[in-house]
Amino acid sequence: MTRLAGVQAGTSGYTRPVILAQIKLLCLDVDGVLTDGGIAIDDAGHETKRFHVRDGAALRMWARLGYETAVITGRNGMALRHRLRELGVRHVVSGSKEKGAAFEALLGEVGIAAGAVAMIGDDLPDLPILRRCGLPIAVRDAAQEVLDIAKFVTARPGGSGAVREAVEHILKGQGRWTEAVRTFDREFAGAPQAGNGGER
């Protein structure tokens, strides 16, 4: 069985509250994180992508609480741009060949320190950002090198609600999950927010 930095595959690790409290920006890869990594191209050469609706709901919650989301991806495509526009994601870097450099430029643009960023990645090109950010997150089916440095690993694979899971983990750690749910349901009474898994 693959080991996730001391946590068995399929379990969500525990992140120290002090780390979660400082997160203000969520940075995402696309293929393998917002999608399952598959790429569909029709006979005309048009690329299509499949996104999970719960990830979209999570990003809307995140924005309603006043936080920012950024996407840094090595690919281009209108399907992605349409989806991100729907979700109100303003910071999008596509066609990036050097994600580390793109991340540094993003930090300057938004005026946020690297330690206040949570990055969700799945593969080797994401490593420079994951090493630099405050909260490196890996999806369940990420490359081993990504799993090895992650402070939180989702139980779900990319494209199957992993982003929603990561957002919930952060907001519960910040004590804002009930507030987040109330952006959809004002009568939500809240529930006990137990810690997840073992310390990483």
Side-chain angles (χ1 to χ4, degrees):
M1 178 180 291
T2 302
R3 299 290 293 183
L4 309 182
V7 178
Q8 288 187 349
T11 64
S12 300
Y14 172 81
T15 312
R16 294 176 179 84
V18 66
I19 296 175
L20 295 172
Q22 66 190 13
I23 301 303
K24 299 177 181 177
L25 172 68
L26 183 66
C27 188
L28 307 172
D29 180 31
V30 176
D31 296 308
V33 173
L34 279 172
T35 77
D36 63 6
I39 298 172
I41 301 177
D42 65 19
D43 291 342
H46 299 134
E47 181 178 310
T48 61
K49 295 183 184 293
R50 177 183 175 276
F51 302 97
H52 200 291
V53 67
R54 290 182 188 170
D55 290 338
L59 294 180
R60 287 191 174 97
M61 280 193 300
W62 185 254
R64 288 171 183 171
L65 293 180
Y67 296 128
E68 293 278 3
T69 299
V71 165
I72 300 178
T73 176
R75 297 185 63 82
N76 290 293
M78 290 307 299
L80 171 63
R81 291 193 172 274
H82 287 316
R83 181 57 174 156
L84 296 180
R85 191 177 301 118
E86 277 185 340
L87 297 174
V89 177
R90 298 185 300 153
H91 307 288
V92 181
V93 180
S94 58
S96 174
K97 303 304 180 187
E98 297 286 345
K99 288 192 174 184
F103 181 63
E104 296 300 329
L106 172 68
L107 294 178
E109 177 184 338
V110 299
I112 291 177
V117 179
M119 168 67 181
I120 310 178
D122 75 303
D123 207 358
L124 306 182
D126 303 320
L127 287 173
I129 303 178
L130 291 166
R131 291 189 188 282
R132 180 91 166 82
C133 72
L135 178 57
I137 300 173
V139 296
R140 176 192 172 104
D141 54 341
Q144 189 62 49
E145 292 82 358
V146 172
L147 296 171
D148 286 344
I149 65 172
K151 289 179 178 165
F152 180 76
V153 179
T154 65
R156 291 178 175 270
S160 297
V163 172
R164 158 64 185 274
E165 185 182 338
V167 168
E168 183 172 342
H169 175 71
I170 295 169
L171 293 178
K172 283 184 174 179
Q174 294 179 340
R176 301 194 71 184
W177 180 244
T178 296
E179 181 184 357
V181 176
R182 285 176 180 162
T183 67
F184 291 104
D185 177 10
R186 293 182 181 178
E187 297 181 6
F188 180 70
Q193 298 183 9
N196 293 323
E199 188 164 344
R200 299 289 303 275

